[in-house]
Amino acid sequence: QVQVVESGGGLVQPGESLRLSCVASESIFGLYKMAWYRQAPGKQRELVAHVMSDNSTNYSDSAKGRFTISGDIAANTVYLQMNRLKADDTAVYYCKMVGMNMYWGQGTQVTVSS
């Protein structure tokens, strides 16, 4: 059973940075996409960014210019560098890995507050 585990969340002040990491417990067959989503209280889960096996990336409007996704398909690992964090970025951040099957992590809490 593949497990996907996120780490790196925490409490930061507005304007600060965080780097989230996500790794799968074992190789995912056919892995071609890795993504970060987030879900704020009372809101639906939304895509933050994804990276494909060809290293192409896509970002939500709120993430563009502040967040950077990077990944290593061979290592089943994906990162999300988040800079200039805002209170609106407060959410649980989830990692998703997509291959022949799709796997979600349990999430890591990011809280941006002064």
Side-chain angles (χ1 to χ4, degrees):
Q1 181 79 12
V2 176
Q3 293 187 338
V4 174
V5 180
E6 304 97 336
S7 61
L11 171 64
V12 295
Q13 294 187 349
E16 294 186 337
S17 299
L18 276 177
R19 186 181 192 232
L20 305 183
S21 300
C22 174
V23 62
S25 60
E26 58 187 83
S27 180
I28 295 175
F29 184 74
L31 181 62
Y32 68 91
K33 181 188 331 186
M34 299 184 289
W36 287 96
Y37 286 73
R38 69 185 183 186
Q39 187 166 19
K43 295 187 177 181
Q44 290 188 333
R45 192 173 296 188
E46 62 176 5
L47 174 69
V48 176
H50 74 240
V51 57
M52 305 296 288
S53 55
D54 64 357
N55 287 323
S56 61
T57 57
N58 183 59
Y59 295 89
S60 66
D61 287 343
S62 62
K64 285 178 185 176
R66 299 187 299 127
F67 296 1
T68 302
I69 189 170
S70 60
D72 185 339
I73 290 285
N76 302 285
T77 302
V78 63
Y79 305 97
L80 185 68
Q81 177 67 42
M82 305 186 293
N83 298 328
R84 303 197 307 278
L85 283 160
K86 307 173 183 178
D88 286 348
D89 296 317
T90 295
V92 178
Y93 284 70
Y94 297 91
C95 172
K96 182 176 79 172
M97 295 195 178
V98 185
M100 289 294 291
N101 295 300
M102 185 171 66
Y103 303 92
W104 286 93
Q106 293 299 306
T108 185
Q109 176 70 46
V110 172
T111 302
V112 185
S113 175
S114 56

